[in-house]
Coordinates of all heavy atoms in Angstrom, one line a residue:
S27 N 80.0 -90.3 25.0 CA 80.5 -89.1 25.6 C 81.8 -89.3 26.3 O 82.2 -90.3 26.7 CB 79.4 -88.5 26.5 OG 79.6 -88.7 27.8
F28 N 82.5 -88.1 26.5 CA 83.8 -88.2 27.2 C 83.8 -88.8 28.5 O 84.7 -89.7 28.9 CB 84.4 -86.8 27.3 CG 85.6 -86.7 28.1 CD1 86.8 -87.2 27.6 CD2 85.6 -86.2 29.4 CE1 88.0 -87.2 28.4 CE2 86.7 -86.2 30.2 CZ 87.9 -86.7 29.7
Y29 N 82.8 -88.5 29.4 CA 82.8 -89.0 30.7 C 82.5 -90.5 30.9 O 82.6 -91.0 31.9 CB 81.8 -88.1 31.6 CG 82.4 -86.7 31.8 CD1 81.9 -85.6 31.1 CD2 83.4 -86.5 32.7 CE1 82.4 -84.4 31.3 CE2 84.0 -85.3 32.9 CZ 83.5 -84.2 32.2 OH 84.0 -82.9 32.4
H30 N 82.1 -91.1 29.8 CA 81.8 -92.5 29.7 C 82.9 -93.3 29.0 O 82.9 -94.5 28.9 CB 80.5 -92.8 29.1 CG 79.3 -92.3 29.8 ND1 78.9 -92.8 31.0 CD2 78.5 -91.2 29.5 CE1 77.9 -92.1 31.4 NE2 77.6 -91.1 30.6
S31 N 84.0 -92.5 28.6 CA 85.1 -93.2 27.8 C 86.0 -94.0 28.8 O 86.1 -93.7 29.9 CB 85.9 -92.1 27.1 OG 86.6 -91.3 28.0
K32 N 86.6 -95.0 28.2 CA 87.5 -95.8 29.0 C 88.7 -95.0 29.5 O 89.1 -95.1 30.6 CB 88.0 -97.0 28.1 CG 89.0 -97.9 28.8 CD 89.5 -99.0 27.9 CE 90.5 -99.9 28.6 NZ 91.0 -100.9 27.7
S33 N 89.2 -94.1 28.6 CA 90.4 -93.3 29.0 C 90.0 -92.4 30.2 O 90.9 -92.2 31.1 CB 90.9 -92.5 27.8 OG 89.9 -91.6 27.3
W34 N 88.8 -91.8 30.2 CA 88.5 -90.9 31.3 C 88.3 -91.8 32.6 O 88.7 -91.4 33.7 CB 87.2 -90.1 31.1 CG 86.7 -89.4 32.3 CD1 85.6 -89.7 33.0 CD2 87.4 -88.5 33.1 NE1 85.5 -88.9 34.1 CE2 86.6 -88.1 34.2 CE3 88.6 -87.8 33.0 CZ2 87.0 -87.2 35.2 CZ3 89.0 -86.9 34.0 CH2 88.2 -86.6 35.1
K35 N 87.6 -92.9 32.5 CA 87.3 -93.7 33.7 C 88.7 -94.2 34.3 O 88.8 -94.2 35.5 CB 86.4 -94.9 33.3 CG 85.0 -94.5 33.0 CD 84.1 -95.6 32.7 CE 82.7 -95.2 32.5 NZ 81.8 -96.3 32.1
E36 N 89.6 -94.6 33.4 CA 90.9 -95.0 33.9 C 91.7 -93.9 34.6 O 92.3 -94.0 35.7 CB 91.8 -95.6 32.8 CG 91.2 -97.0 32.4 CD 92.0 -97.5 31.1 OE1 92.8 -96.8 30.5 OE2 91.7 -98.7 30.8
T37 N 91.7 -92.7 33.9 CA 92.3 -91.5 34.5 C 91.7 -91.1 35.8 O 92.4 -90.8 36.8 CB 92.3 -90.3 33.5 OG1 92.9 -90.7 32.3 CG2 92.9 -89.1 34.0
Q38 N 90.4 -91.1 35.9 CA 89.7 -90.7 37.1 C 90.0 -91.6 38.2 O 90.3 -91.2 39.3 CB 88.2 -90.7 36.8 CG 87.4 -90.3 38.0 CD 85.9 -90.3 37.6 OE1 85.4 -91.1 36.8 NE2 85.1 -89.5 38.3
A39 N 90.0 -92.9 38.0 CA 90.3 -93.9 39.0 C 91.7 -93.8 39.5 O 91.9 -93.8 40.7 CB 90.0 -95.3 38.5
A40 N 92.6 -93.7 38.6 CA 94.0 -93.5 39.0 C 94.3 -92.3 39.8 O 95.0 -92.3 40.8 CB 94.9 -93.6 37.7
Y41 N 93.7 -91.2 39.3 CA 93.9 -89.9 40.0 C 93.3 -90.0 41.5 O 93.9 -89.5 42.4 CB 93.3 -88.7 39.3 CG 93.6 -87.4 39.9 CD1 94.8 -86.8 39.7 CD2 92.7 -86.8 40.7 CE1 95.2 -85.6 40.3 CE2 93.0 -85.6 41.4 CZ 94.2 -85.0 41.1 OH 94.6 -83.8 41.8
M42 N 92.1 -90.5 41.6 CA 91.5 -90.6 42.9 C 92.3 -91.5 43.8 O 92.5 -91.1 45.0 CB 90.1 -91.2 42.8 CG 89.0 -90.3 42.4 SD 88.7 -89.1 43.7 CE 87.0 -89.4 43.9
A43 N 92.9 -92.6 43.3 CA 93.7 -93.4 44.1 C 95.0 -92.7 44.5 O 95.4 -92.8 45.7 CB 94.1 -94.7 43.3
S44 N 95.5 -91.9 43.6 CA 96.8 -91.1 43.9 C 96.5 -90.1 45.0 O 97.4 -89.7 45.8 CB 97.3 -90.4 42.7 OG 96.6 -89.2 42.4
Q45 N 95.3 -89.6 45.2 CA 94.9 -88.6 46.2 C 94.3 -89.3 47.4 O 93.9 -88.6 48.3 CB 93.9 -87.6 45.6 CG 94.4 -86.8 44.5 CD 95.6 -86.1 44.8 OE1 95.7 -85.4 45.8 NE2 96.6 -86.2 43.9
C46 N 94.4 -90.7 47.4 CA 93.8 -91.5 48.6 C 92.4 -91.1 48.9 O 91.9 -91.2 50.0 CB 94.7 -91.3 49.8 SG 96.4 -91.7 49.6
Y47 N 91.6 -90.7 47.8 CA 90.2 -90.4 47.9 C 90.0 -89.3 48.9 O 88.9 -89.3 49.6 CB 89.4 -91.6 48.2 CG 89.4 -92.6 47.1 CD1 90.4 -93.5 46.9 CD2 88.4 -92.6 46.1 CE1 90.4 -94.4 45.9 CE2 88.4 -93.5 45.1 CZ 89.4 -94.4 44.9 OH 89.5 -95.3 43.9
V48 N 90.9 -88.3 49.1 CA 90.8 -87.2 50.0 C 90.5 -85.9 49.2 O 91.2 -85.6 48.2 CB 92.0 -87.0 50.8 CG1 92.0 -85.8 51.7 CG2 92.3 -88.3 51.7
C49 N 89.4 -85.2 49.6 CA 89.1 -84.0 48.9 C 90.2 -83.0 49.1 O 90.7 -82.7 50.2 CB 87.8 -83.4 49.5 SG 87.3 -81.8 48.8
E50 N 90.6 -82.4 48.0 CA 91.7 -81.4 48.0 C 91.3 -80.1 48.5 O 92.1 -79.2 48.7 CB 92.3 -81.3 46.6 CG 93.0 -82.6 46.2 CD 93.6 -82.6 44.8 OE1 94.6 -81.8 44.6 OE2 93.1 -83.3 43.9
K51 N 90.0 -79.9 48.8 CA 89.6 -78.6 49.3 C 89.3 -78.7 50.8 O 89.7 -77.8 51.5 CB 88.3 -78.2 48.6 CG 87.8 -76.8 49.0 CD 86.7 -76.3 48.1 CE 86.4 -74.9 48.5 NZ 85.9 -74.1 47.4
C52 N 88.6 -79.7 51.2 CA 88.2 -79.8 52.6 C 88.8 -81.0 53.4 O 88.6 -81.0 54.7 CB 86.7 -79.8 52.7 SG 85.9 -81.3 52.2
G53 N 89.4 -81.9 52.8 CA 90.0 -83.1 53.5 C 89.0 -84.2 53.8 O 89.4 -85.2 54.3
S54 N 87.8 -84.1 53.4 CA 86.8 -85.1 53.5 C 87.0 -86.2 52.4 O 87.9 -86.0 51.6 CB 85.4 -84.6 53.4 OG 85.1 -83.7 54.5
M55 N 86.2 -87.2 52.5 CA 86.3 -88.2 51.4 C 85.8 -87.7 50.1 O 84.7 -87.2 49.9 CB 85.4 -89.4 51.8 CG 85.5 -90.5 50.8 SD 84.5 -92.0 51.3 CE 84.5 -92.9 49.9
A56 N 86.7 -87.7 49.1 CA 86.5 -87.2 47.8 C 85.5 -88.2 47.0 O 85.6 -89.4 47.2 CB 87.8 -87.1 47.0
R57 N 84.7 -87.7 46.2 CA 83.7 -88.5 45.5 C 83.8 -88.3 44.0 O 83.4 -89.2 43.2 CB 82.3 -88.2 45.9 CG 82.1 -88.4 47.4 CD 80.7 -88.7 47.7 NE 80.5 -88.9 49.2 CZ 80.6 -90.1 49.8 NH1 80.9 -91.1 49.1 NH2 80.4 -90.1 51.1
I58 N 84.4 -87.2 43.5 CA 84.5 -86.9 42.1 C 85.8 -86.3 41.7 O 86.4 -85.7 42.6 CB 83.3 -86.1 41.5 CG1 83.4 -84.6 42.1 CG2 82.0 -86.7 41.7 CD1 82.5 -83.7 41.4
V59 N 86.2 -86.4 40.5 CA 87.4 -85.7 40.0 C 86.8 -84.5 39.1 O 86.0 -84.7 38.3 CB 88.3 -86.6 39.1 CG1 89.4 -85.8 38.5 CG2 88.8 -87.7 40.0
H60 N 87.3 -83.3 39.4 CA 86.9 -82.1 38.8 C 88.0 -81.6 37.9 O 89.2 -81.6 38.2 CB 86.5 -81.1 39.9 CG 86.3 -79.7 39.4 ND1 85.1 -79.4 38.7 CD2 87.0 -78.6 39.6 CE1 85.2 -78.1 38.4 NE2 86.3 -77.6 38.9
H61 N 87.6 -81.0 36.7 CA 88.6 -80.4 35.8 C 88.7 -78.9 36.3 O 87.7 -78.2 36.4 CB 88.1 -80.4 34.4 CG 88.2 -81.8 33.8 ND1 87.2 -82.7 33.8 CD2 89.3 -82.3 33.1 CE1 87.6 -83.8 33.2 NE2 88.9 -83.6 32.8
I62 N 89.9 -78.5 36.5 CA 90.2 -77.1 36.8 C 89.8 -76.2 35.7 O 89.1 -75.2 35.8 CB 91.7 -76.9 37.2 CG1 92.0 -77.7 38.4 CG2 92.0 -75.4 37.5 CD1 93.5 -77.8 38.7
I63 N 90.3 -76.5 34.5 CA 89.9 -75.8 33.2 C 88.7 -76.6 32.7 O 88.8 -77.8 32.4 CB 91.0 -75.8 32.2 CG1 92.2 -75.0 32.7 CG2 90.4 -75.2 30.9 CD1 93.4 -75.1 31.8
F64 N 87.5 -76.0 32.7 CA 86.3 -76.7 32.3 C 86.4 -77.3 30.9 O 87.0 -76.7 30.0 CB 85.1 -75.8 32.4 CG 84.8 -75.4 33.8 CD1 85.0 -74.0 34.2 CD2 84.3 -76.3 34.7 CE1 84.7 -73.6 35.5 CE2 84.0 -75.9 36.0 CZ 84.2 -74.5 36.4
I65 N 85.8 -78.5 30.8 CA 85.7 -79.1 29.5 C 84.6 -78.4 28.6 O 83.5 -78.1 29.2 CB 85.3 -80.6 29.6 CG1 86.3 -81.3 30.5 CG2 85.2 -81.2 28.2 CD1 87.6 -81.6 29.9
N66 N 84.9 -78.1 27.4 CA 84.0 -77.4 26.5 C 84.2 -78.0 25.1 O 85.1 -78.8 24.8 CB 84.1 -75.9 26.5 CG 85.5 -75.4 26.1 OD1 86.0 -75.9 25.1 ND2 86.1 -74.5 26.9
P67 N 83.3 -77.6 24.2 CA 83.4 -78.2 22.8 C 84.7 -77.9 22.1 O 85.2 -78.7 21.3 CB 82.3 -77.5 22.0 CG 81.2 -77.2 23.1 CD 82.1 -76.9 24.3
Q68 N 85.4 -76.8 22.5 CA 86.7 -76.4 21.9 C 87.8 -77.3 22.4 O 88.8 -77.4 21.7 CB 87.0 -74.9 22.0 CG 86.1 -74.0 21.3 CD 84.7 -73.9 21.8 OE1 84.5 -73.9 23.1 NE2 83.7 -73.8 21.0
N69 N 87.8 -77.8 23.6 CA 88.9 -78.5 24.2 C 88.6 -79.9 24.5 O 89.5 -80.6 25.1 CB 89.5 -77.7 25.4 CG 88.5 -77.7 26.6 OD1 87.6 -78.5 26.7 ND2 88.7 -76.7 27.4
I70 N 87.5 -80.4 24.2 CA 87.1 -81.8 24.6 C 88.1 -82.9 24.0 O 88.2 -83.9 24.6 CB 85.6 -82.1 24.1 CG1 85.2 -83.4 24.7 CG2 85.5 -82.2 22.6 CD1 84.9 -83.4 26.2
N71 N 88.7 -82.6 22.9 CA 89.7 -83.6 22.3 C 91.1 -83.3 22.7 O 92.0 -83.9 22.1 CB 89.5 -83.6 20.8 CG 88.1 -84.1 20.4 OD1 87.7 -85.1 21.0 ND2 87.4 -83.4 19.5
D72 N 91.3 -82.3 23.5 CA 92.7 -82.0 24.0 C 93.1 -82.7 25.2 O 92.6 -82.4 26.3 CB 92.8 -80.5 24.2 CG 94.2 -80.0 24.5 OD1 95.1 -80.8 24.8 OD2 94.4 -78.7 24.5
V73 N 93.9 -83.7 25.1 CA 94.2 -84.6 26.3 C 95.0 -83.8 27.3 O 95.1 -84.2 28.5 CB 95.0 -85.8 25.9 CG1 94.1 -86.8 25.0 CG2 96.3 -85.5 25.2
N74 N 95.6 -82.7 26.9 CA 96.3 -81.8 27.9 C 95.3 -81.1 28.8 O 95.7 -80.7 29.9 CB 97.2 -80.8 27.2 CG 98.4 -81.4 26.5 OD1 99.0 -82.2 27.1 ND2 98.6 -81.0 25.3
I75 N 94.1 -81.0 28.4 CA 93.0 -80.5 29.3 C 92.2 -81.6 29.9 O 92.0 -81.6 31.1 CB 92.0 -79.6 28.4 CG1 92.8 -78.5 27.8 CG2 90.9 -79.1 29.3 CD1 93.3 -77.4 28.7
T76 N 91.8 -82.6 29.1 CA 90.9 -83.6 29.6 C 91.5 -84.7 30.5 O 90.8 -85.2 31.4 CB 90.2 -84.3 28.4 OG1 91.1 -84.9 27.6 CG2 89.3 -83.3 27.6
L77 N 92.7 -85.1 30.2 CA 93.3 -86.2 30.9 C 94.6 -85.9 31.7 O 95.2 -86.7 32.3 CB 93.6 -87.4 29.9 CG 92.4 -87.9 29.1 CD1 92.9 -89.0 28.2 CD2 91.4 -88.4 30.1
N78 N 95.0 -84.7 31.7 CA 96.2 -84.2 32.3 C 96.0 -84.1 33.8 O 95.1 -83.3 34.2 CB 96.7 -82.9 31.7 CG 98.0 -82.4 32.3 OD1 98.5 -82.8 33.3 ND2 98.6 -81.5 31.5
W79 N 96.7 -84.8 34.6 CA 96.6 -84.7 36.1 C 96.8 -83.3 36.7 O 96.2 -83.0 37.7 CB 97.5 -85.7 36.8 CG 97.1 -87.1 36.7 CD1 96.2 -87.7 35.7 CD2 97.4 -88.2 37.5 NE1 96.0 -89.0 36.0 CE2 96.8 -89.3 37.1 CE3 98.2 -88.3 38.7 CZ2 96.9 -90.6 37.7 CZ3 98.4 -89.5 39.3 CH2 97.7 -90.6 38.8
D80 N 97.5 -82.5 36.0 CA 97.7 -81.1 36.4 C 96.4 -80.3 36.3 O 96.3 -79.2 36.9 CB 98.8 -80.4 35.7 CG 100.2 -81.0 36.0 OD1 100.4 -81.5 37.1 OD2 101.1 -80.8 35.1
N81 N 95.5 -80.8 35.6 CA 94.2 -80.1 35.4 C 93.1 -80.8 36.2 O 91.9 -80.5 36.0 CB 93.8 -80.0 33.9 CG 92.6 -79.1 33.7 OD1 92.5 -78.1 34.3 ND2 91.7 -79.6 32.8
L82 N 93.4 -81.6 37.1 CA 92.4 -82.4 37.9 C 92.5 -82.1 39.4 O 93.6 -81.8 39.9 CB 92.6 -83.9 37.7 CG 92.5 -84.4 36.2 CD1 92.7 -85.9 36.2 CD2 91.2 -84.0 35.6
K83 N 91.4 -82.1 40.1 CA 91.3 -82.0 41.5 C 90.3 -83.0 42.0 O 89.2 -83.2 41.4 CB 90.9 -80.6 42.0 CG 91.8 -79.5 41.7 CD 93.0 -79.6 42.6 CE 94.0 -78.5 42.4 NZ 95.2 -78.6 43.1
A84 N 90.6 -83.7 43.1 CA 89.6 -84.6 43.8 C 88.8 -83.8 44.8 O 89.4 -83.1 45.6 CB 90.3 -85.7 44.5
F85 N 87.5 -83.9 44.7 CA 86.6 -83.1 45.5 C 85.4 -83.9 46.0 O 85.0 -84.9 45.4 CB 86.0 -81.9 44.8 CG 86.9 -80.7 44.6 CD1 86.8 -80.0 43.4 CD2 87.8 -80.3 45.5 CE1 87.6 -78.9 43.2 CE2 88.6 -79.2 45.3 CZ 88.5 -78.5 44.1
V86 N 84.9 -83.5 47.1 CA 83.5 -84.0 47.5 C 82.6 -83.2 46.6 O 82.9 -82.1 46.1 CB 83.1 -83.7 49.0 CG1 83.7 -84.8 49.9 CG2 83.5 -82.4 49.4
W87 N 81.4 -83.7 46.3 CA 80.5 -83.1 45.3 C 80.2 -81.7 45.7 O 80.2 -80.7 44.9 CB 79.3 -83.9 45.1 CG 78.4 -83.3 44.1 CD1 78.5 -83.5 42.8 CD2 77.2 -82.5 44.3 NE1 77.5 -82.8 42.1 CE2 76.7 -82.2 43.0 CE3 76.6 -82.0 45.4 CZ2 75.6 -81.4 42.9 CZ3 75.5 -81.2 45.3 CH2 75.0 -80.9 44.0
L88 N 79.9 -81.5 47.0 CA 79.5 -80.1 47.5 C 80.6 -79.1 47.3 O 80.3 -78.0 46.9 CB 79.0 -80.2 49.0 CG 78.5 -78.9 49.6 CD1 77.2 -78.5 48.8 CD2 78.1 -79.2 51.0
A89 N 81.8 -79.5 47.6 CA 82.9 -78.5 47.4 C 83.0 -78.1 45.9 O 83.2 -77.0 45.6 CB 84.2 -79.2 47.9
T90 N 82.8 -79.1 45.0 CA 82.9 -78.8 43.6 C 81.7 -77.9 43.2 O 81.9 -76.9 42.5 CB 82.8 -80.1 42.8 OG1 83.9 -80.9 43.2 CG2 82.9 -79.8 41.3
R91 N 80.5 -78.2 43.7 CA 79.4 -77.3 43.4 C 79.6 -75.9 43.8 O 79.3 -75.0 43.1 CB 78.1 -77.9 44.1 CG 76.9 -77.2 43.8 CD 75.7 -77.9 44.3 NE 74.5 -77.1 44.1 CZ 73.5 -77.0 45.0 NH1 73.6 -77.6 46.1 NH2 72.5 -76.2 44.8
R92 N 80.1 -75.7 45.0 CA 80.4 -74.3 45.5 C 81.5 -73.7 44.6 O 81.4 -72.5 44.3 CB 80.9 -74.3 47.0 CG 79.7 -74.6 47.9 CD 80.2 -74.6 49.3 NE 79.1 -75.0 50.2 CZ 79.2 -75.5 51.4 NH1 80.4 -75.8 51.8 NH2 78.2 -75.8 52.1
N93 N 82.5 -74.4 44.2 CA 83.5 -73.9 43.4 C 82.9 -73.4 42.0 O 83.2 -72.4 41.5 CB 84.6 -74.9 43.2 CG 85.8 -74.3 42.5 OD1 86.2 -73.2 42.7 ND2 86.4 -75.1 41.6
I94 N 82.1 -74.3 41.4 CA 81.5 -73.9 40.1 C 80.6 -72.7 40.3 O 80.6 -71.8 39.5 CB 80.7 -75.2 39.6 CG1 81.6 -76.3 39.2 CG2 79.8 -74.8 38.4 CD1 81.0 -77.6 38.9
Q95 N 79.8 -72.7 41.4 CA 78.9 -71.5 41.6 C 79.8 -70.2 41.7 O 79.4 -69.2 41.1 CB 78.1 -71.7 42.9 CG 77.0 -72.6 42.7 CD 76.2 -72.9 44.0 OE1 76.8 -72.7 45.1 NE2 75.0 -73.3 43.9
A96 N 80.9 -70.3 42.4 CA 81.7 -69.1 42.5 C 82.2 -68.6 41.1 O 82.3 -67.4 40.8 CB 82.9 -69.4 43.4
V97 N 82.6 -69.6 40.3 CA 83.1 -69.3 38.9 C 82.0 -68.7 38.1 O 82.2 -67.7 37.4 CB 83.7 -70.5 38.3 CG1 84.0 -70.3 36.8 CG2 85.0 -71.0 39.0
V98 N 80.8 -69.3 38.2 CA 79.7 -68.8 37.4 C 79.3 -67.4 37.8 O 79.1 -66.5 37.0 CB 78.5 -69.7 37.5 CG1 77.2 -69.1 37.0 CG2 78.7 -71.0 36.8
Y99 N 79.3 -67.1 39.1 CA 79.0 -65.8 39.6 C 80.0 -64.8 39.1 O 79.7 -63.6 38.7 CB 78.8 -65.7 41.1 CG 77.6 -66.4 41.6 CD1 77.6 -67.2 42.7 CD2 76.4 -66.3 40.9 CE1 76.4 -67.8 43.2 CE2 75.2 -67.0 41.3 CZ 75.3 -67.7 42.5 OH 74.1 -68.4 42.9
A100 N 81.3 -65.2 39.2 CA 82.4 -64.3 38.7 C 82.2 -64.0 37.2 O 82.4 -62.8 36.8 CB 83.7 -64.9 39.0
L101 N 81.9 -65.0 36.5 CA 81.8 -64.8 35.0 C 80.6 -63.9 34.7 O 80.6 -63.0 33.8 CB 81.6 -66.1 34.3 CG 82.9 -67.0 34.2 CD1 82.6 -68.3 33.6 CD2 83.9 -66.3 33.3
M102 N 79.5 -64.1 35.5 CA 78.3 -63.3 35.3 C 78.6 -61.8 35.6 O 78.2 -60.9 34.8 CB 77.2 -63.8 36.1 CG 76.5 -65.1 35.6 SD 75.3 -65.8 36.7 CE 74.2 -64.5 37.1
A103 N 79.3 -61.6 36.7 CA 79.7 -60.2 37.1 C 80.6 -59.6 36.0 O 80.4 -58.4 35.6 CB 80.3 -60.2 38.4
Y104 N 81.5 -60.3 35.5 CA 82.5 -59.9 34.5 C 81.7 -59.5 33.2 O 81.9 -58.5 32.6 CB 83.5 -60.9 34.2 CG 84.5 -60.5 33.1 CD1 85.5 -59.6 33.3 CD2 84.3 -61.0 31.8 CE1 86.3 -59.2 32.3 CE2 85.2 -60.7 30.8 CZ 86.2 -59.7 31.0 OH 87.0 -59.4 30.0
S105 N 80.8 -60.4 32.8 CA 80.0 -60.2 31.6 C 79.1 -59.0 31.7 O 79.0 -58.3 30.8 CB 79.2 -61.5 31.4 OG 77.9 -61.3 31.0
L106 N 78.5 -58.8 32.9 CA 77.7 -57.6 33.1 C 78.5 -56.3 32.9 O 78.1 -55.3 32.3 CB 77.0 -57.6 34.4 CG 75.9 -58.7 34.6 CD1 75.4 -58.7 36.0 CD2 74.8 -58.4 33.7
T107 N 79.7 -56.3 33.4 CA 80.5 -55.1 33.3 C 81.1 -54.9 31.9 O 81.2 -53.8 31.4 CB 81.7 -55.1 34.3 OG1 82.6 -56.2 34.0 CG2 81.3 -55.2 35.7
R108 N 81.3 -56.0 31.2 CA 81.9 -55.9 29.8 C 80.8 -55.5 28.8 O 81.0 -54.7 28.0 CB 82.5 -57.2 29.4 CG 83.7 -57.7 30.3 CD 84.8 -56.7 30.3 NE 85.4 -56.6 29.0 CZ 86.2 -55.7 28.6 NH1 86.6 -54.7 29.5 NH2 86.8 -55.7 27.4
T109 N 79.6 -56.1 29.0 CA 78.5 -55.8 28.0 C 78.1 -54.4 28.0 O 77.6 -53.8 27.0 CB 77.3 -56.7 28.2 OG1 76.9 -56.6 29.5 CG2 77.7 -58.2 27.8
A110 N 78.2 -53.7 29.2 CA 77.8 -52.3 29.3 C 78.7 -51.4 28.5 O 78.3 -50.3 28.2 CB 77.7 -51.9 30.8
T111 N 79.9 -51.8 28.3 CA 80.8 -50.9 27.6 C 80.8 -51.1 26.0 O 81.3 -50.2 25.3 CB 82.3 -51.1 28.1 OG1 82.6 -52.5 27.8 CG2 82.4 -50.9 29.5
Y112 N 80.2 -52.1 25.5 CA 80.1 -52.4 24.1 C 78.9 -51.8 23.5 O 77.8 -52.0 24.1 CB 80.3 -53.8 23.8 CG 81.6 -54.4 24.1 CD1 81.7 -55.4 25.1 CD2 82.8 -54.0 23.5 CE1 83.0 -55.9 25.4 CE2 84.0 -54.5 23.8 CZ 84.1 -55.5 24.8 OH 85.3 -56.0 25.1
P113 N 78.9 -51.2 22.3 CA 77.7 -50.8 21.7 C 76.9 -52.0 21.2 O 77.5 -53.0 20.9 CB 78.2 -49.9 20.5 CG 79.6 -50.4 20.2 CD 80.1 -50.9 21.6
P114 N 75.6 -51.8 21.1 CA 74.8 -52.9 20.6 C 75.2 -53.3 19.2 O 75.6 -52.5 18.4 CB 73.4 -52.4 20.6 CG 73.4 -51.1 21.2 CD 74.8 -50.7 21.4
V115 N 75.0 -54.6 18.8 CA 75.4 -55.0 17.5 C 74.1 -55.1 16.7 O 73.1 -55.4 17.1 CB 76.0 -56.5 17.6 CG1 76.3 -57.0 16.2 CG2 77.3 -56.4 18.4

């Protein structure tokens, strides 16, 4: 899998070192590197998404979890408003 690949492990380690292991959201000690644009089956092989430092952020796990929850809730709310306007298929 991608997250076990040598290229990801090297990118992740280099990015964390470049951020001095500081969470970019709260300033605490960062523990993971998060993709801003989420990895999915359509972009998993696109190095501009998966390995590009412009698409990475160093976070503590809790900060990432809250960020993901906010995105999920926003998508759910958007999806609820959009599905109501389309006729059933």
Side-chain angles (χ1 to χ4, degrees):
S27 96
F28 170 75
Y29 290 105
H30 296 289
S31 70
K32 180 180 178 184
S33 58
W34 170 245
K35 288 180 180 182
E36 289 174 351
T37 299
Q38 181 183 25
Y41 186 79
M42 280 291 240
S44 78
Q45 298 303 312
C46 301
Y47 293 84
V48 174
C49 176
E50 295 180 64
K51 184 169 184 152
C52 70
S54 297
M55 183 177 166
R57 302 206 182 268
I58 64 169
V59 175
H60 171 70
H61 287 91
I62 299 167
I63 299 172
F64 293 111
I65 304 286
N66 61 48
Q68 291 75 33
N69 65 23
I70 190 73
N71 295 313
D72 183 350
V73 295
N74 291 315
I75 301 292
T76 58
L77 302 177
N78 185 341
W79 284 22
D80 291 335
N81 189 40
L82 303 177
K83 292 287 183 189
F85 284 143
V86 279
W87 184 81
L88 185 59
T90 302
R91 183 170 172 222
R92 287 183 183 150
N93 189 36
I94 291 171
Q95 285 176 335
V97 170
V98 168
Y99 290 141
L101 288 173
M102 287 171 51
Y104 176 77
S105 136
L106 289 173
T107 61
R108 300 301 293 169
T109 55
T111 61
Y112 292 118
V115 177

